[in-house]
Amino acid sequence: MRKMASCSEEDFCCPACHDVFDDPVLLSCSHSFCKLCLQNWWKEKQIQECPVCRSVSEWRDPPRNLALKNLCDAFMQERHPRPSSNSVALCHLHFEKLKLFCLDHQEPVCVVCRDAKLHKDHRFRPIEEVAQDCREGLQKSLKPLQDKLNVFHEAKVNFYTTADHIRTQSQHVERQIKEQFNKLHQFLTEEEEVRLGALREEEEQKSQMMKDKMTALNKDVAALSDTVRLAEQQLRAEDPLFLKNFKTAEERVRQCPLLEDPQLASGALIDVAKHLGNLTFHIWNKMKEMVSYSPVILDPNTANSELILSEDLTTVRHGKRKRLPENPERFEHWDSVIGSGFDSGTHTWDVEIGDNKDWELGVLAESVCRQGFVGSTVWSMEFSDVGYRAYSPTNKYTNLTIGEKVKKIRVHLDWDRGKLSFSEPDTNTHIHTFTHTFTEKLCPHFCTRSVQPLKILPVKVSVTEKSGFSLRTL
């Protein structure tokens, strides 16, 4: 066989564990993986897809890639040559086969060594038995290391998946940021055009008014100038001629009306204050009509892989399981997602339930273990087939009596006073209140097993007359 020095070790490495292939199998998409790596991947993700190209595999038990296995074996043999299987281990003293094992000296010996003075009164066992016992002992000692190696291989796969997810998250967030800024840019561009248009319209109107006034004034000046010019000519004439035309000149002067002095009307100039006064405030005040504020933002890094969040992270619903990295913040066994936590003050958020028939709302301790979450530090209200219930670590489940089906729930947390209340916001109907001395940060908690969404209702920023601002529910 030709030398394989021209091939690098990367040519013989599994894309999942990045080690030389061990028992490689071939997928229908032509990608190969270690059999164990692929089984671990499918077991954890519960999706029979290629870890590289994500195409769904047509085979549950992919065939072995014998050609690749032979190449890997040849590569490893060339890198780490093994002794020939035909060679036989011989005693270095008597050149006999090593068939016994001296238990006292802990070494292989031949039958001649057994009778030698060196091994007098020693205990011996067949070398095959001792080798088998040692193999079993080594295998037992090796098992934890093999298990640990499998864990490391799985961690490597998850790390690469996480790195891919980080890139996907970054691209997704970048796209959303650009979309939001494009909307704001478009709004500002349109607002600029409107305000510049209003300025140009006022300029045109007031410029035309001044033109009309100047035209009328020029007409009055011309008429008055003619009268004055003719009267002055008469004044310069000889006395006989002046007296002859005096009555006519005097009549012309008397009949010429004395017009009022021309004056600018109030508001003739551009209303600069109207266009520039509190300009940025008025733009912001108008801009807030196109934006909203949510009191709670869902954290996608905590969402169970079967939950689907909206682009603005304010709506959650149940859907098809997605392949996501195994990060410690994510809920593994509960269909839950949380928002940022509070460790002081009062906080309120309204949730639109709609037609969702399987949900849970409330708060939980931020420190709760997401992988084995069992609700030990949860205060919540839920609805399912058994009806409306409240849950707390101390009282567990408490049945709630509610007349009509609620469409909205208001959650009000007073961390300092140790109260968590649930009510119906439209009718301001109280439903249930927990009282507890909270000692750690609490996070808004949402759980749903329905395709009907739970939506956190936005609040609107409104300006008050006291130069402040307030929030009110939309």
Side-chain angles (χ1 to χ4, degrees):
M1 182 179 291
R2 66 180 179 85
K3 294 290 183 181
M4 306 179 70
S6 60
C7 298
S8 66
E9 186 170 346
E10 293 181 356
D11 297 325
F12 302 95
C13 287
C14 169
C17 66
H18 296 273
D19 288 333
V20 175
F21 283 102
D22 180 18
D23 194 13
V25 294
L26 180 66
L27 297 181
S28 57
C29 60
S30 299
H31 289 119
S32 294
F33 302 89
C34 298
K35 184 176 182 179
L36 181 60
C37 292
L38 189 64
Q39 288 175 344
N40 289 336
W41 177 278
W42 287 357
K43 180 180 178 181
E44 291 296 325
K45 305 305 173 185
Q46 300 181 1
I47 302 176
Q48 288 185 196
E49 65 177 13
C50 173
V52 174
C53 65
R54 306 294 191 265
S55 61
V56 178
S57 174
E58 300 176 358
W59 306 315
R60 286 191 173 182
D61 187 15
R64 299 177 66 191
N65 193 337
L66 295 177
L68 180 57
K69 183 180 187 304
N70 293 334
L71 288 173
C72 292
D73 290 344
F75 174 76
M76 294 301 293
Q77 178 65 22
E78 186 171 308
R79 288 290 180 90
H80 309 287
R82 298 178 182 176
S84 173
S85 60
N86 295 326
S87 62
V88 179
L90 300 177
C91 175
H92 67 284
L93 294 176
H94 308 105
F95 300 101
E96 295 287 340
K97 290 183 178 180
L98 299 172
K99 295 184 177 181
L100 301 173
F101 187 81
C102 178
L103 298 178
D104 297 276
H105 282 173
Q106 289 291 302
E107 64 178 3
V109 296
C110 66
V111 293
V112 179
C113 291
R114 177 189 59 187
D115 300 327
K117 183 178 180 180
L118 180 64
H119 295 283
K120 184 179 180 180
D121 298 330
H122 284 184
R123 296 167 300 149
F124 299 92
R125 287 183 61 191
I127 195 170
E128 294 85 357
E129 293 182 5
V130 176
Q132 180 61 29
D133 291 343
C134 291
R135 283 192 175 91
E136 291 177 357
L138 179 60
Q139 183 62 41
K140 184 177 180 180
S141 300
L142 185 61
K143 184 64 166 59
L145 298 181
Q146 291 174 328
D147 294 340
K148 181 64 69 174
L149 183 60
N150 289 336
V151 172
F152 282 10
H153 285 327
E154 293 174 3
K156 286 179 67 174
V157 172
N158 188 54
F159 285 176
Y160 279 99
T161 302
T162 302
D164 290 339
H165 189 66
I166 290 172
R167 286 191 291 271
T168 301
Q169 278 186 312
S170 177
Q171 294 169 359
H172 177 70
V173 172
E174 179 181 352
R175 177 180 58 81
Q176 286 189 286
I177 290 175
K178 289 182 177 180
E179 288 179 357
Q180 293 299 321
F181 271 94
N182 285 337
K183 290 180 181 179
L184 296 176
H185 292 159
Q186 181 65 27
F187 168 81
L188 291 175
T189 299
E190 293 176 355
E191 187 67 16
E192 178 185 15
E193 292 175 354
V194 169
R195 292 181 178 274
L196 289 177
L199 174 62
R200 296 190 187 100
E201 182 179 355
E202 183 179 357
E203 177 192 10
E204 183 177 348
Q205 291 176 351
K206 293 188 174 180
S207 295
Q208 184 61 46
M209 179 185 68
M210 292 307 301
K211 289 179 181 179
D212 295 341
K213 286 182 175 294
M214 291 173 65
T215 299
L217 182 60
N218 288 335
K219 184 177 179 181
D220 292 340
V221 168
L224 189 58
S225 296
D226 287 343
T227 300
V228 171
R229 180 177 52 79
L230 292 175
E232 289 177 344
Q233 287 178 356
Q234 292 299 322
L235 290 172
R236 291 193 298 271
E238 296 292 336
D239 291 343
L241 186 58
F242 169 74
L243 293 174
K244 180 181 179 180
N245 298 319
F246 169 73
K247 290 189 177 293
T248 302
E250 184 181 32
E251 186 67 22
R252 183 184 298 115
V253 171
R254 288 180 177 178
Q255 290 180 356
C256 181
L258 291 177
L259 302 176
E260 295 182 2
D261 294 343
Q263 293 181 349
L264 285 175
S266 177
L269 300 180
I270 294 293
D271 191 349
V272 177
K274 181 186 71 174
H275 294 288
L276 295 183
N278 290 322
L279 177 60
T280 54
F281 171 80
H282 290 305
I283 293 174
W284 170 81
N285 197 34
K286 188 174 181 180
M287 181 184 292
K288 65 183 178 63
E289 299 296 331
M290 63 172 290
V291 299
S292 62
Y293 173 81
S294 178
V296 173
I297 296 296
L298 303 176
D299 184 356
N301 294 335
T302 68
N304 180 274
S305 58
E306 293 187 3
L307 295 183
I308 299 175
L309 306 186
S310 60
E311 292 283 335
D312 61 358
L313 305 179
T314 62
T315 300
V316 57
R317 64 181 177 87
H318 201 275
K320 186 177 180 181
R321 185 180 183 88
K322 304 181 294 300
R323 187 180 61 82
L324 296 171
E326 299 172 1
N327 52 302
E329 301 92 346
R330 192 176 309 285
F331 289 98
E332 185 67 25
H333 302 294
W334 280 56
D335 303 315
S336 299
V337 61
I338 62 174
S340 299
F342 312 112
D343 56 8
S344 63
T346 59
H347 309 273
T348 303
W349 57 96
D350 291 353
V351 182
E352 187 175 71
I353 306 299
D355 295 326
N356 192 310
K357 298 180 180 179
D358 197 346
W359 52 267
E360 181 178 359
L361 301 173
V363 297
L364 59 78
E366 186 182 48
S367 61
V368 70
C369 177
R370 316 292 167 78
Q371 305 301 312
F373 177 52
V374 293
S376 59
T377 51
V378 178
W379 294 263
S380 64
M381 173 185 171
E382 68 171 37
F383 177 73
S384 62
D385 293 339
V386 298
Y388 292 97
R389 298 189 300 178
Y391 180 90
S392 69
T394 53
N395 297 327
K396 303 304 179 183
Y397 288 106
T398 301
N399 293 326
L400 301 176
T401 302
I402 299 178
E404 298 182 359
K405 182 179 179 181
V406 294
K407 295 291 185 177
K408 295 179 184 178
I409 292 291
R410 172 166 293 170
V411 185
H412 180 76
L413 171 65
D414 190 335
W415 195 97
D416 300 321
R417 295 184 178 181
K419 289 187 177 182
L420 177 70
S421 300
F422 298 89
S423 61
E424 205 291 320
D426 291 339
T427 60
N428 198 26
T429 302
H430 174 262
I431 298 176
H432 190 74
T433 295
F434 292 110
T435 301
H436 181 81
T437 301
F438 301 121
T439 58
E440 58 180 310
K441 182 177 288 188
L442 300 177
C443 299
H445 174 231
F446 302 80
C447 179
T448 179
R449 303 165 194 87
S450 170
V451 296
Q452 298 297 325
L454 299 176
K455 179 177 177 57
I456 303 168
L457 296 176
V459 295
K460 185 177 181 181
V461 179
S462 59
V463 181
T464 66
E465 296 180 356
K466 296 182 180 180
S467 299
F469 73 92
S470 60
L471 300 176
R472 61 183 179 87
T473 304
L474 285 172

mmCIF file of all heavy atoms in Angstrom, residues 285-300:
data_model
loop_
_atom_site.group_PDB
_atom_site.id
_atom_site.type_symbol
_atom_site.label_atom_id
_atom_site.label_comp_id
_atom_site.label_asym_id
_atom_site.label_seq_id
_atom_site.Cartn_x
_atom_site.Cartn_y
_atom_site.Cartn_z
ATOM 1 N N ASN A 285 -42.550 62.765 20.940
ATOM 2 C CA ASN A 285 -43.919 62.567 21.394
ATOM 3 C C ASN A 285 -44.755 61.906 20.304
ATOM 4 O O ASN A 285 -45.639 61.091 20.586
ATOM 5 C CB ASN A 285 -44.531 63.908 21.794
ATOM 6 C CG ASN A 285 -45.772 63.733 22.657
ATOM 7 O OD1 ASN A 285 -45.862 62.798 23.442
ATOM 8 N ND2 ASN A 285 -46.730 64.627 22.490
ATOM 9 N N LYS A 286 -44.468 62.257 19.065
ATOM 10 C CA LYS A 286 -45.174 61.630 17.954
ATOM 11 C C LYS A 286 -44.618 60.241 17.671
ATOM 12 O O LYS A 286 -45.360 59.327 17.314
ATOM 13 C CB LYS A 286 -45.060 62.511 16.706
ATOM 14 C CG LYS A 286 -45.918 62.039 15.557
ATOM 15 C CD LYS A 286 -45.882 63.025 14.396
ATOM 16 C CE LYS A 286 -46.768 62.556 13.237
ATOM 17 N NZ LYS A 286 -46.731 63.517 12.106
ATOM 18 N N MET A 287 -43.302 60.081 17.866
ATOM 19 C CA MET A 287 -42.668 58.792 17.603
ATOM 20 C C MET A 287 -43.170 57.713 18.551
ATOM 21 O O MET A 287 -43.283 56.539 18.173
ATOM 22 C CB MET A 287 -41.145 58.925 17.722
ATOM 23 C CG MET A 287 -40.384 57.630 17.437
ATOM 24 S SD MET A 287 -38.613 57.817 17.710
ATOM 25 C CE MET A 287 -38.196 58.923 16.372
ATOM 26 N N LYS A 288 -43.495 58.089 19.790
ATOM 27 C CA LYS A 288 -43.913 57.075 20.758
ATOM 28 C C LYS A 288 -45.233 56.417 20.376
ATOM 29 O O LYS A 288 -45.581 55.361 20.917
ATOM 30 C CB LYS A 288 -44.005 57.677 22.160
ATOM 31 C CG LYS A 288 -45.060 58.739 22.350
ATOM 32 C CD LYS A 288 -44.995 59.314 23.758
ATOM 33 C CE LYS A 288 -46.014 60.428 23.956
ATOM 34 N NZ LYS A 288 -47.373 59.966 23.823
ATOM 35 N N GLU A 289 -45.952 57.020 19.411
ATOM 36 C CA GLU A 289 -47.183 56.391 18.939
ATOM 37 C C GLU A 289 -46.895 55.138 18.116
ATOM 38 O O GLU A 289 -47.742 54.266 17.986
ATOM 39 C CB GLU A 289 -47.992 57.384 18.103
ATOM 40 C CG GLU A 289 -48.426 58.636 18.858
ATOM 41 C CD GLU A 289 -49.370 58.318 19.991
ATOM 42 O OE1 GLU A 289 -50.098 57.308 19.881
ATOM 43 O OE2 GLU A 289 -49.381 59.062 20.992
ATOM 44 N N MET A 290 -45.678 55.072 17.563
ATOM 45 C CA MET A 290 -45.334 53.930 16.716
ATOM 46 C C MET A 290 -44.519 52.884 17.470
ATOM 47 O O MET A 290 -44.170 51.844 16.909
ATOM 48 C CB MET A 290 -44.550 54.384 15.484
ATOM 49 C CG MET A 290 -43.206 55.019 15.804
ATOM 50 S SD MET A 290 -42.207 55.341 14.324
ATOM 51 C CE MET A 290 -41.772 53.692 13.837
ATOM 52 N N VAL A 291 -44.186 53.143 18.740
ATOM 53 C CA VAL A 291 -43.412 52.182 19.515
ATOM 54 C C VAL A 291 -44.209 51.794 20.755
ATOM 55 O O VAL A 291 -45.181 52.441 21.117
ATOM 56 C CB VAL A 291 -42.041 52.768 19.935
ATOM 57 C CG1 VAL A 291 -41.216 53.114 18.724
ATOM 58 C CG2 VAL A 291 -42.225 53.992 20.824
ATOM 59 N N SER A 292 -43.781 50.707 21.381
ATOM 60 C CA SER A 292 -44.437 50.255 22.603
ATOM 61 C C SER A 292 -43.373 49.782 23.586
ATOM 62 O O SER A 292 -42.241 49.502 23.202
ATOM 63 C CB SER A 292 -45.430 49.123 22.303
ATOM 64 O OG SER A 292 -44.749 48.006 21.760
ATOM 65 N N TYR A 293 -43.782 49.684 24.825
ATOM 66 C CA TYR A 293 -42.875 49.243 25.883
ATOM 67 C C TYR A 293 -43.496 48.047 26.585
ATOM 68 O O TYR A 293 -44.660 48.074 26.980
ATOM 69 C CB TYR A 293 -42.642 50.374 26.888
ATOM 70 C CG TYR A 293 -41.852 49.934 28.103
ATOM 71 C CD1 TYR A 293 -40.471 49.827 28.056
ATOM 72 C CD2 TYR A 293 -42.521 49.609 29.282
ATOM 73 C CE1 TYR A 293 -39.761 49.414 29.174
ATOM 74 C CE2 TYR A 293 -41.816 49.188 30.401
ATOM 75 C CZ TYR A 293 -40.432 49.096 30.344
ATOM 76 O OH TYR A 293 -39.726 48.678 31.432
ATOM 77 N N SER A 294 -42.702 46.973 26.719
ATOM 78 C CA SER A 294 -43.192 45.786 27.406
ATOM 79 C C SER A 294 -42.563 45.710 28.788
ATOM 80 O O SER A 294 -41.339 45.805 28.922
ATOM 81 C CB SER A 294 -42.843 44.523 26.608
ATOM 82 O OG SER A 294 -43.273 43.371 27.304
ATOM 83 N N PRO A 295 -43.367 45.527 29.837
ATOM 84 C CA PRO A 295 -42.806 45.465 31.192
ATOM 85 C C PRO A 295 -41.997 44.197 31.442
ATOM 86 O O PRO A 295 -41.209 44.146 32.377
ATOM 87 C CB PRO A 295 -44.047 45.508 32.088
ATOM 88 C CG PRO A 295 -45.141 44.961 31.237
ATOM 89 C CD PRO A 295 -44.836 45.390 29.837
ATOM 90 N N VAL A 296 -42.200 43.179 30.614
ATOM 91 C CA VAL A 296 -41.464 41.925 30.744
ATOM 92 C C VAL A 296 -41.015 41.485 29.351
ATOM 93 O O VAL A 296 -41.812 41.495 28.407
ATOM 94 C CB VAL A 296 -42.322 40.813 31.383
ATOM 95 C CG1 VAL A 296 -41.592 39.480 31.346
ATOM 96 C CG2 VAL A 296 -42.678 41.177 32.814
ATOM 97 N N ILE A 297 -39.747 41.111 29.226
ATOM 98 C CA ILE A 297 -39.197 40.589 27.977
ATOM 99 C C ILE A 297 -38.771 39.141 28.219
ATOM 100 O O ILE A 297 -38.027 38.846 29.155
ATOM 101 C CB ILE A 297 -37.989 41.420 27.500
ATOM 102 C CG1 ILE A 297 -38.427 42.839 27.173
ATOM 103 C CG2 ILE A 297 -37.338 40.774 26.282
ATOM 104 C CD1 ILE A 297 -39.410 42.942 26.021
ATOM 105 N N LEU A 298 -39.254 38.238 27.383
ATOM 106 C CA LEU A 298 -38.923 36.823 27.524
ATOM 107 C C LEU A 298 -37.482 36.571 27.103
ATOM 108 O O LEU A 298 -36.993 37.148 26.129
ATOM 109 C CB LEU A 298 -39.868 35.975 26.672
ATOM 110 C CG LEU A 298 -41.359 36.145 26.969
ATOM 111 C CD1 LEU A 298 -42.190 35.316 25.999
ATOM 112 C CD2 LEU A 298 -41.670 35.750 28.408
ATOM 113 N N ASP A 299 -36.810 35.700 27.835
ATOM 114 C CA ASP A 299 -35.414 35.367 27.544
ATOM 115 C C ASP A 299 -35.376 34.084 26.711
ATOM 116 O O ASP A 299 -35.645 32.995 27.235
ATOM 117 C CB ASP A 299 -34.644 35.171 28.850
ATOM 118 C CG ASP A 299 -33.161 34.905 28.617
ATOM 119 O OD1 ASP A 299 -32.757 34.796 27.442
ATOM 120 O OD2 ASP A 299 -32.414 34.806 29.608
ATOM 121 N N PRO A 300 -35.033 34.155 25.420
ATOM 122 C CA PRO A 300 -35.052 32.954 24.574
ATOM 123 C C PRO A 300 -34.037 31.905 25.012
ATOM 124 O O PRO A 300 -34.198 30.725 24.693
ATOM 125 C CB PRO A 300 -34.733 33.502 23.172
ATOM 126 C CG PRO A 300 -34.023 34.790 23.417
ATOM 127 C CD PRO A 300 -34.617 35.355 24.670
#
